[in-house]
Amino acid sequence: MLFKQQALLRQKLLVLGSLAIGSLLYLVARVGSLDRLQPLCPIDGRFGPHGQEEIPLRALQFKRGLLHEFRKGNATKEQIRLHNLVQQLPKAIIIGVRKGGTRALLEMLNLHPAVVKASQEIHFFDNDENYAKGIEWYRKKMPFSYPHQITIEKSPAYFITEEVPERIYKMNSSIKLLIIVREPTTRAISDYTQVLEGKERKNKTYYKFEKLAIDPNTCEVNTKYKAVRTSIYTKHLERWLKYFPIEQFHIVDGDRLITEPLPELQLVEKFLNLPPRISQYNLYFNATRGFYCLRFNIVFNKCLAGSKGRIHPEVDTSVITKLRKFFHPFNQKFYQITGRTFNWP
């Protein structure tokens, strides 16, 4: 009888001990989660060069949680009002170029706690039907953010569409404009590769790159081919300069963003008057994918979609040489206008 009572007592003590340990672990986890959910934290730097007040930035975990729910539409008007969230027009736009690395740039800038990105390409300024819906329609396509944050969207078609510079100027003549470029011939082949993949997915045939890039009648570069025209960066930039001074543009090296992203992102932080917050901790090389992935915190990592970094088809070397010779004078003018030189052949 005594033995049974002792065994029962030991069993109760074990249960109580387990409950105590479980409660302690819960409290530790709870305190940690509450600490992570603090929405605002002070920063040392300042946004602007003119000595504005310090701007509080919310914690990354708070951004990934609460703001994500708002983006999915899982928030009431009262919750939005309570947290002082707004949908703001962008203060900076990645206007191009297509296949220059616009998605990578947007996702990497989103590492910064003062930046909130529009997840989808809005195509407001380059699409007549969307533009006719008005600026309020555009604003409502933007993500929820805190008033002190910068909303950024990207639509690479903006750079080459004639009507866009004037339309953006009418919205905000002082907006900051980001252009990310790659070596023009490489960019053109990447452009072709994306279209080719889409055709193959639909079991459709498509011309070889050489046949599209070179006019068969003249054996010269085919400037009517969109992939070639897009890579003549200076022609498009000159149209933008009719509305915006060069100081409102920042040129990002798309090739360097692939191999050494941090210095490029730090230049963008400076251009946007953001305090430096993106560090090497936020970027890690994924050997399997062959490019850098993003680390937001100890829990949340992100790699770009598998469609990024497509393998390019082999292109006749004589065609590559001809294209590089064609682009060379345009590249030189682009360097002069922007004040940034690239090691393009």
Side-chain angles (χ1 to χ4, degrees):
M1 184 67 178
L2 181 61
F3 178 77
K4 286 184 178 180
Q5 288 177 338
Q6 289 175 337
L8 184 61
L9 181 61
R10 281 197 299 271
Q11 187 175 3
K12 287 182 178 179
L13 288 172
L14 284 172
V15 171
L16 289 171
S18 298
L19 287 172
I21 293 170
S23 299
L24 181 61
L25 290 173
Y26 171 78
L27 286 171
V28 170
R30 181 63 176 163
V31 170
S33 65
L34 286 173
D35 180 63
R36 287 194 301 273
L37 285 174
Q38 294 304 312
L40 304 176
C41 59
I43 60 171
D44 296 327
R46 298 174 185 270
F47 259 98
H50 307 299
Q52 298 101 312
E53 293 182 6
E54 279 192 1
I55 300 173
L57 305 182
R58 78 278 177 266
L60 282 172
Q61 289 88 346
F62 190 80
K63 171 185 175 182
R64 308 305 163 192
L66 181 63
L67 291 184
H68 180 64
E69 291 302 308
F70 290 142
R71 286 172 190 164
K72 293 192 301 183
N74 298 339
T76 65
K77 289 183 179 180
E78 178 60 23
Q79 286 175 314
I80 293 170
R81 185 195 64 77
L82 183 65
H83 291 283
N84 196 31
L85 294 171
V86 290
Q87 287 173 292
Q88 304 183 81
L89 290 172
K91 295 177 182 175
I93 301 179
I94 301 172
I95 59 174
V97 298
R98 172 182 163 93
K99 305 313 299 173
T102 57
R103 173 56 60 182
L105 177 60
L106 183 68
E107 296 292 343
M108 288 177 178
L109 288 179
N110 194 48
L111 288 164
H112 198 292
V115 171
V116 177
K117 68 179 177 70
S119 297
Q120 302 298 322
E121 293 179 9
I122 311 299
H123 289 286
F124 176 63
F125 297 103
D126 66 310
N127 183 297
D128 292 341
E129 186 177 335
N130 287 343
Y131 189 68
K133 294 175 183 177
I135 203 72
E136 189 62 18
W137 177 88
Y138 179 56
R139 188 181 65 80
K140 288 183 178 178
K141 291 292 181 180
M142 295 299 133
F144 284 100
S145 63
Y146 293 103
H148 62 267
Q149 291 176 309
I150 290 179
T151 296
I152 297 180
E153 78 125 322
K154 74 102 175 175
S155 293
Y158 289 169
F159 186 59
I160 64 170
T161 306
E162 289 189 12
E163 300 82 2
V164 172
E166 182 179 4
R167 289 174 175 180
I168 292 181
Y169 180 84
K170 287 179 178 178
M171 178 192 73
N172 182 357
S173 61
S174 61
I175 196 166
K176 292 181 179 291
L177 302 165
L178 293 162
I179 304 171
I180 180 167
V181 294
R182 296 190 67 192
E183 191 276 312
T185 301
T186 302
R187 194 223 62 82
I189 296 171
S190 180
D191 197 326
Y192 166 83
T193 304
Q194 178 171 295
V195 176
L196 175 66
E197 185 181 271
K199 297 286 186 182
E200 290 177 340
R201 201 182 302 119
K202 297 175 182 177
N203 294 317
K204 294 182 178 181
T205 57
Y206 196 48
Y207 296 108
K208 291 187 69 175
F209 175 79
E210 291 88 340
K211 190 168 185 179
L212 294 168
I214 304 298
D215 187 325
N217 297 318
T218 63
C219 292
E220 297 299 328
V221 172
N222 180 15
T223 55
K224 294 181 180 179
Y225 179 36
K226 187 176 180 180
V228 169
R229 290 203 317 273
T230 300
S231 284
I232 308 175
Y233 305 138
T234 185
K235 289 291 186 182
H236 305 293
L237 181 59
E238 285 173 342
R239 184 172 58 252
W240 283 85
L241 290 172
K242 293 176 183 178
Y243 295 91
F244 300 95
I246 194 63
E247 291 78 19
Q248 282 178 232
F249 296 88
H250 178 72
I251 311 301
V252 179
D253 186 340
D255 295 307
R256 192 184 184 202
L257 193 73
I258 295 170
T259 60
E260 196 180 3
L262 185 58
E264 285 299 313
L265 295 172
Q266 289 171 335
L267 289 173
V268 178
E269 284 180 323
K270 186 176 181 180
F271 172 70
L272 297 176
N273 292 325
L274 293 172
R277 285 293 177 270
I278 302 174
S279 69
Q280 198 61 58
Y281 168 82
N282 300 119
L283 303 158
Y284 67 96
F285 187 77
N286 186 313
T288 304
R289 304 294 293 276
F291 48 79
Y292 280 85
C293 293
L294 317 179
R295 180 185 291 113
F296 291 89
N297 52 53
I298 196 170
V299 175
F300 183 52
N301 297 344
K302 180 177 183 178
C303 284
L304 297 178
S307 61
K308 305 301 177 184
R310 296 180 181 89
I311 298 175
H312 293 180
E314 286 191 20
V315 177
D316 189 297
T317 54
S318 66
V319 171
I320 292 176
T321 301
K322 184 169 292 217
L323 282 168
R324 287 177 172 171
K325 185 178 180 181
F326 168 80
F327 286 127
H328 182 74
F330 296 111
N331 295 342
Q332 295 302 310
K333 192 170 184 180
F334 186 70
Y335 301 161
Q336 292 172 2
I337 293 173
T338 61
R340 182 156 194 187
T341 302
F342 299 93
N343 295 319
W344 296 337

